Amino acid sequence: RKEVEQDPGPFNVPEGATVAFNCTYSNSASQSFFWYRQDCRKEPKLLMSVYSSGNEDGRFTAQLNRASQYISLLIRDSKLSDSATYLCVVNQRSGNTGKLIFGQGTTLQVKP
Amino acid sequence: ETGVTQTPRHLVMGMTNKKSLKCEQHLGHNAMYWYKQSAKKPLELMFVYSLEERVENNSVPSRFSPECPNSSHLFLHLHTLQPEDSALYLCASSQFSGRGSYNEQFFGPGTRLTVL
């Protein structure tokens, strides 16, 4: 089983649609969680951290369910500029350090 | 100056060549990373330097050799690579807070490596 699992998509949605991505992780000791965005042939950039109580940043809402080991990202009122690959990232403790584990990414294409 | 820079941006090398990738961060961070991104695969962590400790992924072949002379610079020395090593190599930095806690990672633009 992959440590961080995402549906690779692609998700093809019209402008203005609401779309949700899910991510599951296998290590229950995972400490912190993030969503990164990666545009084609560019480096990943942090979109938002995911907090236990859930958090919202404009049109983006992130949720964490520790019991089910599941993270979600909801995008409302999709824009053409939201087209990208969304990476689910989990920070796992490793001794006195930690390591970030990246999912494969979910590709979103927003169409006019 | 952008936060994390990488040179070269593109590199084509033969299997017998020796080359080095360079990364520099201007963010005052204390942790730096090398990742490999192959087509259709997740980012794979290769090496971490954090608080002067090197954490090495055991599956990284010895033909990849990292060097971290100080907290702002990171190198990846390459020798006798194979065609399957062709990929995007990304450097990142972050502030390590201790006890396994990593804050946001900032990535460089990457070096696209082709091994012939």
Side-chain angles (χ1 to χ4, degrees), chain A residues 20-32:
Chain A
F21 306 138
N22 297 326
C23 168
T24 55
Y25 60 95
S26 60
N27 189 331
S28 59
S30 299
Q31 295 183 305
S32 47

Side-chain angles (χ1 to χ4, degrees), chain A residues 31 36 38 43 98 100 104, chain B residues 37 40 100 102 105 108 112:
Chain A
Q31 295 183 305
Y36 276 71
Q38 187 171 22
E43 72 273 21
L100 293 186
Q104 184 181 1
Chain B
Q37 189 171 38
K40 309 289 186 191
Y102 284 91
Q105 289 194 7
R112 191 159 294 280

Side-chain angles (χ1 to χ4, degrees), chain B residues 71-82:
Chain B
S71 60
S72 301
H73 294 86
L74 186 65
F75 295 89
L76 187 63
H77 303 300
L78 317 170
H79 65 97
T80 58
L81 295 193
Q82 304 297 311

Side-chain angles (χ1 to χ4, degrees), chain A residues 7 12 32-33 42 47-48 52 55 77 98 100 109:
Chain A
D7 179 348
N12 294 301
S32 47
F33 309 89
K42 295 282 184 81
L47 178 66
M48 57 198 302
S52 297
N55 48 301
D77 187 24
L100 293 186
Q109 291 280 355

